Amino acid sequence: MLTGKKAVIFDMDGSLVDSMWIWPEVDRIYMEKYHLTEPATFHRDIEGKSYTETAQYFVDTFRTLDRTVEQVMQEWRDMTIRLYATEVFPKPGAVEFLKAMKKQGVLLGIATSNDRTIADAALQARHLAPYFDSIRTSCEVSAGKPAPDVYLKVAEDLRIEPSSCLVFEDVPNGILAGKNAGMEVCAVDDEFSRPLEAEKKRLADYFIRDFNDILRHTYERCDEQT
């Protein structure tokens, strides 16, 4: 998996840290506050979208929501920063894996769909920020995942060719973003995307339950690739 790789780039939520549980709760509280009803395709519609794109989706989809994109994003920030700073923790084996990569001289990056303020709060609270040579959000590029933009931006920051980068992702659109960037992708198990496990394995090059799998060299090589 790591042979020939000069950089490892992580999605943050659900891949590096256990945080996906926050968003259903934020959605529930927010929708109750403004008396909104989610469409049947809601979760798939927003998968991989940047923080800004998701707020725009809310404004466009919920016609009774008399809020601007910035107002929506600020309310979400206020609701989530405390949770990220106090109740979000790294995936099992993640810190040990980061340390191993740094020891081997592999460059590390973050390519997240989350808001930059929230991402910084989460990484700093768990003392993870110093490990990373580049931290980018999809709000800083032209299009969110499955577009490759945020992964290509991190690779550009690191001055590493995409083919020499390994990506860790937990959802299909994120996996596609890494593949569209010309990178190998390892899918990471997460409770909230577990129903999509077969699709994740079909799209990715590798699959792990957590980062201890890599440390033990027991990860799965996926049979099919895009």
Side-chain angles (χ1 to χ4, degrees), residues 113-170:
S113 297
N114 212 326
D115 175 74
R116 183 56 184 256
T117 303
I118 294 173
D120 286 343
L123 293 171
Q124 290 169 10
R126 298 295 153 228
H127 309 291
L128 298 177
Y131 288 102
F132 294 99
D133 304 286
S134 171
I135 300 171
R136 292 287 185 172
T137 77
S138 293
C139 297
E140 299 172 57
V141 294
S142 297
K145 303 168 185 178
D149 301 34
V150 69
Y151 280 109
L152 292 174
K153 186 63 177 175
V154 173
E156 178 185 339
D157 288 346
L158 300 177
R159 299 183 181 181
I160 300 294
E161 288 296 317
S163 60
S164 295
C165 298
L166 176 66
V167 165
F168 287 94
E169 271 282 0
D170 68 305

Side-chain angles (χ1 to χ4, degrees), residues 26 34 66 90 93 131 181 196 214:
V26 169
Y34 290 104
D66 186 22
Y131 288 102
L196 305 174
I214 306 176

Side-chain angles (χ1 to χ4, degrees), residues 23-84:
W23 292 105
E25 182 65 8
V26 169
D27 291 338
R28 183 190 67 78
I29 294 171
Y30 195 81
M31 288 184 180
E32 282 186 2
K33 178 179 179 179
Y34 290 104
H35 309 289
L36 308 175
T37 301
E38 66 182 50
T41 58
F42 174 74
H43 295 288
R44 197 63 187 218
D45 289 345
I46 65 173
E47 181 186 305
K49 288 186 181 296
S50 72
Y51 201 77
T52 305
E53 288 172 332
T54 304
Q56 185 68 61
Y57 172 89
F58 267 67
V59 171
D60 293 342
T61 302
F62 302 109
R63 297 297 184 177
T64 61
L65 183 61
D66 186 22
R67 311 291 289 172
T68 67
V69 169
E70 277 300 328
Q71 287 172 326
V72 172
M73 292 195 295
Q74 188 58 55
E75 285 190 77
W76 289 346
R77 288 188 195 103
D78 293 342
M79 294 166 65
T80 57
I81 285 177
R82 181 187 61 81
L83 292 174
Y84 272 89

